[in-house]
Amino acid sequence: GACGPAVDGPCAVDPSRQLLMNLTIVSFARGRTGYEEAEKEFVRRLSGHGTVALEIIRQWRDTDGLPARLLTHTYPVGLYIDGRSYTSVELSAHVGDLLQRGQSHLVFAIGGADGMPAGVDNEVRERWSLSSLTFSHGLARLLLLEALYRSFDMLRGGNYHK
C-alpha cells in the first residue's frame, strides 16, 4: 500500500524491499556558492539511498526548459516561493508515496535570480516550496539536499530526524 502520514509520522519502508531512487537537482549558477563541502556531505549520505546528481546550468534563458534527457521517465518538481510547503514528516511521507507509485527518478529544478525559467514552469509535475523566504540558488540546493536526506532517513527508520 501507499506510505502516508500516520499519527507518529510516515511509515517506514520495509528494509527487505529497498526502494532505490535517483535524484537530479538542476540549478543555475555562475560560480562557487561556498556550500560545496556541505553539499558533498549530503550527496554522500544520500548515495546510500540511490544516485544523486547535481547539474549546474550556467546559461538558463527564460524560454529554456529542463534538459530533454531529464524529462523521460522522470518526475520533475520545481522549487517556488509560492509552491506547496511540507513539514519534514509530510515531505518524507510524500516522497515515500512517490517512490511507492514508481516515481523513482525525481528531478528538482531551482531557478536563478530571475526565478524559474518559463520553459520549466510547463514541465514540472509539482511545485514545492522550501520557504516563503528567498534564498540563493546554492543555499536552496543545500536546503533541498538536507530535506531529502532527512526524508529518506525517516523512511528507513533512521535517527537523523530525532
Side-chain angles (χ1 to χ4, degrees):
C3 188
V7 174
D8 294 321
C11 55
V13 173
D14 178 353
S16 66
R17 189 169 167 252
Q18 287 284 350
L19 293 175
L20 293 180
M21 57 77 204
N22 297 304
L23 295 176
T24 303
I25 300 174
V26 181
S27 63
F28 174 82
R30 283 204 175 96
R32 293 186 52 82
T33 64
Y35 303 108
E36 288 81 7
E37 291 303 312
E39 286 179 0
K40 284 180 190 173
E41 176 60 21
F42 281 106
V43 166
R44 184 191 66 74
R45 291 179 186 192
L46 279 162
S47 68
H49 304 287
T51 63
V52 182
L54 302 180
E55 195 156 318
I56 308 300
I57 296 180
R58 303 222 181 268
Q59 298 290 324
W60 211 357
R61 293 177 300 280
D62 190 52
T63 55
D64 290 346
L66 291 165
R69 65 184 158 59
L70 294 178
L71 294 173
T72 305
H73 305 297
T74 64
Y75 194 84
V77 174
L79 297 185
Y80 296 85
I81 289 175
D82 64 350
R84 177 164 178 200
S85 295
Y86 293 92
T87 66
S88 294
V89 171
E90 292 168 342
L91 183 62
S92 180
H94 184 59
V95 168
D97 187 53
L98 288 172
L99 289 171
Q100 292 283 345
R101 290 188 289 147
Q103 302 297 342
S104 61
H105 188 172
L106 305 179
V107 175
F108 296 93
I110 301 171
D114 296 325
M116 190 70 72
V120 175
D121 283 334
N122 300 321
E123 296 170 336
V124 297
R125 308 252 316 257
E126 293 187 26
R127 294 168 62 106
W128 293 5
S129 175
L130 295 174
S131 172
S132 56
L133 298 172
T134 301
F135 296 110
S136 68
H137 61 274
L139 185 53
R141 196 168 53 231
L142 179 59
L143 290 171
L144 177 62
L145 284 165
E146 195 281 342
L148 291 170
Y149 174 70
R150 182 178 298 273
S151 292
F152 283 101
D153 186 71
M154 291 169 70
L155 286 170
R156 297 299 193 305
N159 294 319
Y160 182 76
H161 183 63
K162 296 181 173 125

